[in-house]
Amino acid sequence: MTTTSPDRLDRIESLLSTLGKDMQTVKADISTVKGDISELKEDISELNEKTTKTNEKVETYQKAIQQVVNLAFGLIVTAALAIYCPSGHKSLVFH
């Protein structure tokens, strides 16, 4: 059996004490990271909701624009026919 010197035991005790403090620091850091991850999850969820709402608004806007374009072309055709029909072209005059 080997005997250990008091100096060696003191160094081991010091190392264990330092290790314990380091472990507490690591635990605190892990706790902080967990909190940050939780906040990120909430932010991502919020962004997903906003993206969905924005996509719905864009889709509605695109549909409205298409309706405006259709109306404009319809009015252009109607105006062209209103000008063309009374100008003496009997082929388009309805009886």
Side-chain angles (χ1 to χ4, degrees), residues 22-87:
D22 290 346
M23 289 301 294
Q24 288 176 352
T25 302
V26 169
K27 285 181 181 180
D29 290 346
I30 289 173
S31 179
T32 301
V33 169
K34 283 181 179 179
D36 291 346
I37 288 173
S38 180
E39 288 178 20
L40 285 173
K41 284 180 180 180
E42 290 176 15
D43 290 347
I44 288 171
S45 178
E46 192 176 307
L47 281 173
N48 282 337
E49 289 177 21
K50 286 181 179 180
T51 300
T52 300
K53 288 178 183 177
T54 300
N55 288 343
E56 290 172 358
K57 288 178 182 179
V58 167
E59 185 178 336
T60 301
Y61 177 76
Q62 287 174 334
K63 288 178 182 177
I65 290 295
Q66 186 61 45
Q67 291 298 321
V68 169
V69 169
N70 289 343
L71 178 63
F73 279 116
L75 290 173
I76 290 170
V77 169
T78 303
L81 287 174
I83 293 170
Y84 186 74
C85 288
S87 66

Side-chain angles (χ1 to χ4, degrees), residues 82-93:
I83 293 170
Y84 186 74
C85 288
S87 66
H89 295 285
K90 297 184 186 215
S91 60
L92 291 177
V93 176

